[in-house]
Amino acid sequence: MSIRVNGADVPAGPRQQQAMLAVLALRAGFAVPLHELVGAVWGQRPPESAVTILRTYAWRLRQRLGSDLVVSAGDGYQLAVPASAVDAHRAEQLAAAAQAHGAERLEERAALLDEAVELWRGEPLAGIPGPFADSERSRLRELHLMLQERRFGLQLLMGRHESVIPNLTAFTWEHPLRERPHGYLMRALYASGRQADALAVFTRAQQVLNEELGLDPGPELRDLHERILANDPDLDAPSCAHDVAEPSPRQITPPPVRVLRRPAQLPPDVGDFSGRTGLVADLCAGLTLPGRDALAVAAVSGMGGIGKTTLALHVAHLVKEHFPEGQLHADLRGTGVDAAEPGAVLGSFLAALGVPGQEIPRDPEDRGRLFRTMLDNRKVLLLLDDARDATQVMQLLPGSAGCAVIVTSRPHLAGLSAFAHVPLEVFSPDEALALLQRITGEEQVCREAEAARELVAACGHLPLAVRIVAARLAARPGWSVADLLARLGDERRRLSELRAGDMSVTAAFEFGHGQLTEVQASVFRSLAPFARSSISLEGAAAALGMAEEETERVLESLVDAALVESPLPGRYRYHDLVRVFALQVRPADPERTAVMMRRLLAHLLGAASSAFQRMAPGDPVHTTLMPGAPEGPRFTDVTEARAWMAAEFDGVVHTLLLAAADRTGSGTDVLNMAADLLIAYSAFGRDVPYARLAATARTVADAAEAAGDDRAAGRALFVCGNEALQATRLAEAGDLAGRAAEASHRAGDTVILYQHFNDLGVIAKFEHRYEDAVGHFDRAVELARAAGHRSGALTSLLNAALVRVRGGHAEEAVRACDEALVALRELAGERDTAHALCVRGQALHALGRYEDALASYRQCLSVAARVRLTGHEARARFRSAETLLATGRPTEAFAEAQRSVDLLEQTAEHSRDHGYALLALARTESHLDLREQAHTHARLAYEVFAQAGLPETSQAQRLMTGTRAPGPGFPVPEDGPGRDAVGV
């Protein structure tokens, strides 16, 4: 491989880097995903660090070629150059151009072929490792030979018989098994008056073919031999082979012995095929693309029951008219214990093509050569179903560009060169419903539309499962969709219900499970209880008690077996039905499951503790959360910590519910780890579905109260009360906070006690009981400081400052905010810093220092933008709108209020803030005399406040009736004290 950039040679780097570049170059202009690059460079057994190595190669290539040429595309890369910049593609373009020229433009055709042939400078991709390079090396070698043969044919057609003899002689000695060049040489010699030499060429070709392949020369070569013996005068004229000019009738003689049959082996298409519309169109287009220079291969992979065979068969029937010389089909039995041997399949194919049994070679390689010879220049479609691996398939591929192959397999066939590798996904809900409707009838599905949607969801939208339930409904007219849905509702019975005739979801999964090693099978079954949504590599390794490298190797092998999916690097998940199968295939050991749950909880708590430390840098984790948890990852900043907490949320909730339901006598430390995990997550309430976290906390609280564990109960109840407070269910929040405080007092848990007083202060603030609120917040500050929780103390201090603004003590509030900001600079608490700047702006507004207030809000916006605090940005903007109104700048105020509303409408959170932003927008519109808009937005604000039970409904009411609400501003609850449970 060689590279030239702007006329200068550029070193290609180490061999494997060249292998990666070869893939990108031969797919120039197209994105190549990472998984395809891994398979192309290393095949079935890549190193554990394959992705890292490829990214390093990509970086090096960018340094050498330029970042504008090697660009990222999805999770992979693309070489952004035209196809003509790659010699291989350029050669194919020149060949196509030569073929397109008419029969009268021989000189131009010859020049194009000369240029194409001269692009070869030795063996292509010489020394480059990997299955892709191996495959392309063979393809390019064949292309080179084909172009040379075409050039020889053109030279004969142009009458250059004598001049072509030396090169043709050398070519036939180098490639003695290629019949056509022997024919060209015989023509050239005969036309040059050397009849005896021409006949000698035939004798040598006959001998080589017989010795090497056990075959006689083909009909064209035998016919030419007879014509030379007969001194045919037409052979003296310029002539060429059939790929250069159309042969005359005299040149075509029927094979004297063998007649090629036209096999039609495709099984029948399914009459109720549904879905996959775009994919079907893409596959059909790729398989029938005109003017191809290479074999078209489409590979479809995926789990059992996903519909691979059904799709492949449907596509094969749609395109079979484009392959008039036959269709071959083979079940390769790749998922069974007796996978088909390629040699046996080739023997079957040869027999179907008309080869008598006694003439089929015994050696598999000889069968392959004969198979490719028989399909040369023919249009035959192959459907290879259920392949084991790429090696099994590659021995069955024809060499003719006129043929096409569809392959199905459970694993991704990384080493197979194909125009399309399709990792088949489950149906979309609409596709699943369409299949159900086609089989059972439109009337029943429409009549029970909601139950039908739930039914296909219970099937995991797996095509086989949907087909089974549809068949059962069609066979039982007295059943309703709801009846069958109820039977599938019990997860323990679900797989037994998904059986109809010889169709069975369990059987589809058992094939794959039966091929697993003992270690693979153990991991597959053991992780199923914990991966209801997905699980990270680190979490899986912790639960299994294995090293991450070994865990990744096993999990990736399960992905290859199509029993586990990997939606993202480092994350793994089960299809719902595969997970049910894994839970039931062998009874689980309750003690082992309990041990794995403890390990996973400890891992999650360790990581959540590290994230919590980023969110609340002033609060000591060892006193806030359970000591002894393993050290988690070191997050570089709060943004990274928030991303981890959000990504793990679904799995955490499931693990917490498992801990609450544990009945193995694991002890109260499991419940305490669960409660601490809840506390850590409550600090990230804006980043996760907080209501769902609270519902999980209720389950943990019930389990802790039943076990008599006051510490765990108090912490779980606190999270429940905090969520109620955020939703302004004030009575419920007060009750839950009281119960949490009582349990925490009995347990001596001061962390929750100070949060209890903080929440009481928030409730009093909502109810405009400002003196009571200040008292509660001051008590919370006292307890937090005594516990060494600096972030928690600052949060309550800022809440007290906000209340002092409401109570007419804005000067005290400014001093408190300035004190907090000094401390926060040391703690690097950016979320609290944004909160403090916003409160300070409100205090300055109350004092009439409007420009200073606006400056404080701008600082808040800067911090919020840096760490993506949408809620803080929205508050700072509608606060700025109030201050801008007070300074007589309604147009600027309108822009800030509108931006605040836009931000808050992007999320379902911050509902109260949405009301305040709408109220600010209505005020600015009222000042701008946009009364209709002002009335609309005031009404929307009123609805928000009324639903939350807040007294600000009166302000919205006044605007709705056309009265501007004067005054310095309006009270707004801040996010810190309510949502962020501990010290944020």
Side-chain angles (χ1 to χ4, degrees), residues 97-114 150-160 238-241 243-246:
Q99 194 75 10
H101 280 315
E104 303 302 321
R105 301 168 64 183
L106 300 182
E107 293 288 349
E108 294 178 37
R109 294 175 70 180
L112 290 169
L113 287 175
D114 286 343
R150 287 189 183 180
R151 185 167 64 170
F152 290 140
L154 264 177
Q155 289 171 332
L156 291 178
L157 193 61
M158 296 164 67
R160 300 172 181 172
S239 60
C240 178
D243 66 324
V244 177
E246 291 294 326

Side-chain angles (χ1 to χ4, degrees), residues 285-598:
L287 291 166
T288 60
L289 185 69
R292 284 196 315 268
D293 287 326
L295 177 70
V297 179
V300 181
S301 60
M303 62 182 286
I306 201 74
K308 304 180 294 295
T309 299
T310 303
L311 171 67
L313 193 55
H314 183 65
V315 170
H317 276 281
L318 290 176
V319 303
K320 68 180 182 180
E321 299 305 323
H322 292 268
F323 301 92
E325 292 173 278
Q327 304 91 42
L328 295 167
H329 171 267
D331 179 1
L332 301 184
R333 305 192 303 275
T335 54
V337 295
D338 61 338
E341 289 297 328
V345 176
L346 287 168
S348 174
F349 283 169
L350 289 170
L353 291 168
V355 180
Q358 68 273 17
E359 295 186 23
I360 296 177
R362 301 178 66 87
D363 184 74
E365 291 189 8
D366 289 341
R367 291 182 176 186
R369 295 188 186 99
L370 178 57
F371 176 64
R372 290 189 291 275
T373 299
M374 295 192 69
L375 294 191
D376 188 39
N377 289 318
R378 299 188 180 276
K379 293 185 176 182
V380 176
L381 175 67
L382 280 73
L383 175 51
L384 305 177
D385 193 23
D386 193 18
R388 178 188 59 208
D389 52 35
T391 301
Q392 184 189 34
V393 171
M394 290 172 72
Q395 298 179 60
L396 304 174
L397 298 181
S400 172
C403 295
V405 182
I406 308 173
V407 186
T408 74
S409 63
R410 292 203 180 181
H412 171 71
L413 304 181
L416 182 66
S417 179
F419 76 83
H421 279 279
V422 180
L424 208 57
E425 301 285 346
V426 296
F427 273 158
S428 69
D430 287 342
E431 287 177 323
L433 278 174
L435 178 59
L436 182 69
Q437 184 172 298
R438 289 200 66 174
I439 298 175
T440 63
E442 183 176 356
E443 181 180 349
Q444 185 174 23
V445 173
C446 292
R447 186 173 63 248
E448 298 182 80
E450 188 56 37
R453 282 197 172 274
E454 293 180 24
L455 180 65
V456 296
C459 294
H461 303 118
L462 186 70
L464 175 61
V466 175
R467 183 172 291 279
I468 288 173
V469 297
R472 294 190 68 186
L473 284 173
R476 295 164 177 80
W479 282 23
S480 68
V481 175
D483 290 334
L484 187 51
L485 177 61
R487 297 175 73 92
L488 265 63
D490 185 349
E491 192 176 82
R492 294 168 298 182
R493 292 179 50 192
R494 188 171 300 169
L495 290 180
S496 63
E497 294 290 339
L498 292 174
R499 187 185 301 272
D502 60 353
M503 293 188 297
S504 167
V505 169
T506 299
F509 298 157
E510 282 175 340
F511 279 124
H513 182 261
Q515 292 186 320
L516 300 180
T517 66
E518 185 176 341
V519 172
Q520 291 171 328
S522 175
V523 169
F524 172 69
R525 296 189 301 267
S526 299
L527 282 181
F530 308 102
R532 192 176 191 91
S533 53
S534 67
I535 191 168
S536 68
L537 171 61
E538 298 81 7
L544 292 165
M546 294 167 54
E548 283 187 20
E549 294 81 0
E550 175 67 9
T551 303
E552 183 177 36
R553 185 186 66 78
V554 176
L555 287 173
E556 286 298 321
S557 70
L558 292 175
V559 172
D560 291 339
L563 287 170
V564 171
E565 301 170 3
S566 181
L568 294 168
R571 290 206 77 81
Y572 300 91
R573 69 184 179 198
Y574 294 72
H575 182 274
D576 290 346
L577 295 179
V578 175
R579 180 176 169 275
V580 173
F581 170 78
L583 291 171
Q584 296 178 3
V585 68
R586 186 178 298 176
D589 178 0
E591 294 298 327
R592 173 172 167 74
T593 301
V595 169
M596 290 182 65
M597 181 187 65
R598 289 169 60 87

Side-chain angles (χ1 to χ4, degrees), residues 100-171:
H101 280 315
E104 303 302 321
R105 301 168 64 183
L106 300 182
E107 293 288 349
E108 294 178 37
R109 294 175 70 180
L112 290 169
L113 287 175
D114 286 343
E115 184 181 349
V117 170
E118 288 167 6
L119 289 172
W120 269 261
R121 293 179 292 276
E123 183 182 31
L125 308 178
I128 296 179
F132 179 85
D134 290 342
S135 173
E136 286 299 305
R137 203 161 21 244
S138 298
R139 185 182 73 84
L140 293 173
R141 188 183 299 120
E142 181 63 28
L143 175 63
H144 188 215
L145 295 175
M146 180 197 73
L147 292 176
Q148 291 182 79
E149 288 181 6
R150 287 189 183 180
R151 185 167 64 170
F152 290 140
L154 264 177
Q155 289 171 332
L156 291 178
L157 193 61
M158 296 164 67
R160 300 172 181 172
H161 299 103
E162 291 189 7
S163 63
V164 79
I165 289 174
N167 289 335
L168 261 175
T169 302
F171 190 90

